[in-house]
Amino acid sequence: TAYRRQRQMCIRDRNQMCTIEPDTGSIQGADVILTVTCTTNQYFVGGMASGLANANTVTLSLGAEELDVISNNAFVFLNPLTDESNYSVSISTQPTTPNQTCEMVNPTGTITGNDIDDIEVNCITNQYLIGGTVEGLHSGNNLVIQNNTSDDLLISNDGDFDFAAGIDDMQSYDVSILEQPKNPIQTCLLSQNTGNVSGTNVVSVIVTCDFGGDLIYKGGFE
C-alpha cells in the first residue's frame, strides 16, 4: 500500500511550519516510522522614522541588535523574532548633527503571526535661547533689540536678557538694535552678536551703552 503525507502548517499555540520525512513511500510488511520536524515562524520588527534632519542618525536597539536609522523612511531590524516573542525597541543614541530629540510610538508588544511595521520614531530639532548682557543702560530707559530681524525684545535695565523664541541647533543668530534709548539719548553697541547655535544656550551677546550727552533733558528741562 502506498502512502503520501503533504507538508502542513501547524497552528496551535504559535505559528509553525512542519515537515514530514519521508513524505512518500510504500508499506512493505512493517511499520513506517515518520519524522515530523517543526520550526516556529519568524517575523521582522520595524516601522517608520519622521522628522530626522538631513544626514542625521538615530540609533535604535532591539535586544542585542542595534540599527542606525539615517532617513525619514521605513526601517526594519535585520534579525527576525519567533512568533509570540515579546519585543521592545528603544533609542540608544539620539541624533547630534544637529541635536534632536526622538520619541517612540508603539515600541513594545508581542509578535502575533505577522511582521511588526507600526513602530514610529518621531524626531524634533532641539532649540536653544539667544541672550547675553546689557551694560550702561540708564534705569528706566528703553532699548529694543531683535534676533534675525524678529522677536523684538524691550530692555529697560542693565543685566541679563534672553529672547523669547528659541533657535534650532546649528542655525544662525544675528542680534541687532531696532531702537536706541531716547530718554535720555544713549548710543548702544553690540559685540559677539552673530554666530551659530552649537548645542547650548547662547549667553555671550553683549550690549554696551554710552553714558549719553543729553541728560539735561531727562527731567524735562531745556
Side-chain angles (χ1 to χ4, degrees), residues 61-105:
S61 296
L62 175 60
E65 181 182 354
E66 290 197 336
L67 175 66
D68 288 337
V69 178
I70 60 175
S71 62
N72 294 311
N73 290 306
F75 63 86
V76 179
F77 285 90
L78 294 178
N79 298 316
L81 301 180
T82 57
D83 193 34
E84 294 198 346
S85 295
N86 295 326
Y87 64 89
S88 179
V89 178
S90 60
I91 296 173
S92 57
T93 304
Q94 295 279 3
T96 58
T97 54
N99 285 341
Q100 293 191 282
T101 299
C102 301
E103 296 183 349
M104 305 192 70
V105 178

Side-chain angles (χ1 to χ4, degrees), residues 105-155:
V105 178
N106 304 321
T108 62
T110 302
I111 304 290
T112 57
N114 291 287
D115 292 335
I116 302 299
D117 61 3
D118 64 346
I119 297 173
E120 298 178 23
V121 180
N122 302 317
C123 304
I124 59 172
T125 301
N126 295 358
Q127 291 193 325
Y128 300 93
L129 296 177
I130 308 301
T133 305
V134 176
E135 302 171 351
L137 183 67
H138 291 296
S139 180
N141 216 350
N142 293 324
L143 166 73
V144 180
I145 59 177
Q146 294 182 316
N147 181 37
N148 292 337
T149 68
S150 63
D151 197 15
D152 294 6
L153 177 62
L154 175 67
I155 299 175

Side-chain angles (χ1 to χ4, degrees), residues 39-60:
T39 58
T40 301
N41 293 356
Q42 293 188 318
Y43 300 94
F44 290 95
V45 175
M48 180 70 69
S50 65
L52 194 63
N54 186 39
N56 223 346
T57 301
V58 57
T59 303
L60 308 180

